[in-house]
Amino acid sequence: NAGVMQNPRHLVRRRGQEARLRCSPMKGHSHVYWYRQLPEEGLKFMVYLQKENIIDESGMPKERFSAEFPKEGPSILRIQQVVRGDSAAYFCASSPLRLLGYNEQFFGPGTRLTVL
Amino acid sequence: TQLLEQSPQFLSIQEGENLTVYCNSSSVFSSLQWYRQEPGEGPVLLVTVVTGGEVKKLKRLTFQFGDARKDSSLHITAAQPGDTGLYLCAGEGNAGGTSYGKLTFGQGTILTVHP
């Protein structure tokens, strides 16, 4: 079974450019989550999506950041007009339907974004 | 806002010693997960605890969920150099609450086991 796939693994952007991070969940998983890990900080929740729906975006900055999980294809985290403070590791996680009543999340390898 | 306090932040021990990592909160969680993360990689799920008072064992690792589902511990017996890594606890909020679905992570414990 393939795990959660993220690409690219490393992304370098100059200030003002756009960054697109992709995440393919594990097979059979319909829930996707994005987390950010800043240098010397812990993992922070950004957004929770199901197919074609944003369930919770309370952790996402109001400006420049957006996320989608279309009916077909991977989930995309988009950062417009990147700034140096956006440099971080971005992790995607996925989980299956909550048949067990709780939520086990499986993480991808992450995308390391560096803004020059 | 739910918070998870994880301690200690750093732990450096000799091979063969035992250790315990703690995660504490004033909030109740519907489940709590422990992860291990290697440099440059994503967190790998070790275990999920759901029921208050639950104890789960994974070889030399023992995980416990507090009776009130507010705290958890990870105990490693006879640590080995291969146990070296970053250990993270993460709690999911209760159903109906604003934190439902998303994980709140502790700050992590960096464990180093010397041969």
Side-chain angles (χ1 to χ4, degrees), chain B:
Chain B
T1 302
Q2 295 187 312
L3 292 174
L4 259 178
E5 296 290 330
Q6 189 172 342
S7 62
Q9 190 176 353
F10 300 95
L11 200 49
S12 180
I13 61 172
Q14 293 296 127
E15 182 176 1
E17 293 183 0
N18 302 333
L19 66 110
T20 303
V21 178
Y22 300 93
C23 266
N24 296 293
S25 177
S26 58
S27 303
V28 176
F29 293 102
S30 61
S31 69
L32 196 136
Q33 296 166 33
W34 284 91
Y35 292 85
R36 178 175 161 177
Q37 185 178 18
E38 300 295 334
E41 298 295 330
V44 175
L45 181 64
L46 296 174
V47 79
T48 300
V49 285
V50 182
T51 307
E54 182 176 6
V55 177
K56 281 192 174 178
K57 294 197 174 196
L58 188 66
K59 296 184 181 178
R60 294 176 293 100
L61 278 61
T62 301
F63 304 86
Q64 187 163 7
F65 203 12
D67 291 340
R69 291 187 291 135
K70 294 182 179 181
D71 53 84
S72 181
S73 63
L74 157 61
H75 183 79
I76 301 179
T77 304
Q80 299 176 0
D83 295 328
T84 294
L86 173 64
Y87 290 83
L88 297 161
C89 61
E92 183 195 4
N94 266 336
T98 57
S99 297
Y100 188 63
K102 65 188 182 190
L103 294 178
T104 298
F105 278 84
Q107 304 95 313
T109 295
I110 298 175
L111 171 65
T112 304
V113 182
H114 301 279

Side-chain angles (χ1 to χ4, degrees), chain A:
Chain A
N1 277 335
V4 178
M5 311 276 284
Q6 287 188 252
N7 68 81
R9 291 293 306 272
H10 300 274
L11 183 61
V12 179
R13 285 287 178 265
R14 296 190 180 280
R15 280 180 297 169
Q17 291 184 320
E18 178 180 286
R20 280 186 178 237
L21 287 61
R22 293 174 184 77
C23 169
S24 296
M26 286 179 71
K27 188 176 180 180
H29 286 191
S30 56
H31 302 238
V32 165
Y33 313 80
W34 286 92
Y35 293 83
R36 178 165 64 174
Q37 191 171 37
L38 291 165
E40 308 304 323
E41 291 189 20
L43 280 151
K44 304 291 185 189
F45 167 80
M46 297 182 74
V47 62
Y48 166 21
L49 309 105
Q50 294 178 20
K51 287 282 188 182
E52 301 183 283
N53 280 311
I54 296 175
I55 306 302
D56 183 349
E57 57 182 349
S58 59
M60 200 145 72
K62 294 288 186 285
E63 297 180 354
R64 303 187 298 107
F65 285 73
S66 62
E68 61 176 7
F69 188 16
K71 188 176 180 181
E72 302 290 337
S75 175
I76 307 285
L77 178 67
R78 183 182 177 204
I79 311 172
Q80 295 178 290
Q81 300 175 320
V82 295
V83 301
R84 288 216 174 101
D86 297 333
S87 295
Y90 292 83
F91 292 97
C92 168
S94 71
S95 68
L97 291 173
R98 304 179 64 91
L99 297 176
L100 299 175
Y102 59 88
N103 173 13
E104 278 191 333
Q105 296 185 21
F106 297 86
F107 282 77
T111 294
R112 271 108 191 125
L113 172 65
T114 301
V115 180
L116 302 177

